[in-house]
Amino acid sequence: MAKVSVGLRGWRFEEAEIFTDEGEFKPLDEIPEDPRERLVRLVSLVEEPCDACYLIHGDEEIQQCRQASIVYGEPREEVLLCDHHEPDFLYWFREEDGRDLVGDAVFADAFHEWFADGGRAPDGYGGLEYVDTEPDELPSPPDANEIQRRLEENFVEGERIDLRDYGPDADDDEEATPLTEDDLDGVDLDTDYPTR
């Protein structure tokens, strides 16, 4: 089974999981959960700037940032890079123990901090070589509006979720008993609790 990148290099998908036999994207509900999550996330990432460029230029000079062409990490904890800054990431990942943070919620932040503190790959440090096999043959990923339309297709208006089905007694066949005043003895409802 062939693996392909869509929109950005880095995340790879099994062709059969995301494409129909005709070479079009499958309906979202037919794509397995992990590739579906990545595909939906890619829609919002494909035109974003490189994280390293952004750390250098910021909002004030965002027009100086190169567009990202590579994504590493997990959805919502990903690092976006241009070809120029990919070697910096690979150096951090291989030589500065970034590999130890794979799957960790601080993965992207740790790279950003290292880069912002002046971390860079040595001159001549090699990146990865990519082989693009017929990249124009792949369909473009659906845009954000199309993704939203597909997500809403199966939504039933007015569908209600009974939270009791997911509570600690969800497996019990008995009806949940409502709370009484006795259940709340000792609870001070006027207390201000700290928030984040």
Side-chain angles (χ1 to χ4, degrees):
M1 224 184 255
K3 288 199 170 217
V4 295
S5 292
V6 178
L8 298 171
R9 291 191 315 268
W11 288 347
R12 296 173 51 80
F13 301 89
E14 294 286 349
E15 278 187 278
E17 289 184 339
I18 63 170
F19 295 122
T20 64
D21 292 338
E22 294 76 35
E24 297 298 320
F25 280 99
K26 288 182 174 181
L28 289 174
D29 60 351
E30 293 179 21
I31 298 174
E33 185 178 353
D34 183 58
R36 179 178 59 232
E37 180 184 2
R38 288 174 189 271
L39 190 60
V40 169
R41 182 70 178 140
L42 273 172
V43 170
S44 63
L45 300 177
V46 292
E47 295 187 10
E48 289 296 312
C50 164
D51 290 353
C53 288
Y54 185 81
L55 289 168
I56 293 168
H57 301 291
D59 280 329
E60 300 78 29
E61 297 180 28
I62 198 162
Q63 71 280 1
Q64 299 293 321
C65 297
R66 295 177 192 87
Q67 185 173 335
S69 56
I70 304 147
V71 59
Y72 288 110
E74 296 300 316
R76 307 218 178 278
E77 194 49 50
E78 65 275 322
V79 176
L80 298 174
L81 300 158
C82 62
D83 294 329
H84 179 77
H85 287 115
E86 183 184 27
D88 296 320
F89 173 83
L90 292 174
Y91 179 81
W92 170 80
F93 186 80
R94 296 171 180 158
E95 313 296 334
E96 298 289 328
D97 300 325
R99 174 179 281 120
D100 296 343
L101 299 173
V102 169
D104 195 310
V106 299
F107 180 77
D109 290 340
F111 170 73
H112 295 155
E113 288 173 18
W114 176 82
F115 189 87
D117 286 342
R120 301 292 187 275
D123 288 340
Y125 189 82
L128 295 177
E129 289 192 28
Y130 296 93
V131 177
D132 288 333
T133 306
E134 301 176 7
D136 296 331
E137 297 295 316
L138 294 175
S140 296
D143 66 17
N145 291 332
E146 176 64 10
I147 291 282
Q148 185 65 31
R149 186 191 66 72
R150 290 182 186 187
L151 290 172
E152 291 173 359
E153 268 180 3
N154 296 325
F155 176 73
V156 178
E157 189 63 40
E159 181 179 354
R160 298 183 61 84
I161 297 172
D162 189 345
L163 294 177
R164 290 175 290 207
D165 292 343
Y166 301 97
D169 300 325
D171 294 334
D172 295 348
D173 291 334
E174 299 174 17
E175 281 282 321
T177 54
L179 289 175
T180 66
E181 280 189 35
D182 292 336
D183 294 326
L184 297 176
D185 279 348
V187 176
D188 184 0
L189 298 176
D190 294 325
T191 299
D192 287 331
Y193 293 97
T195 60
R196 288 186 182 190

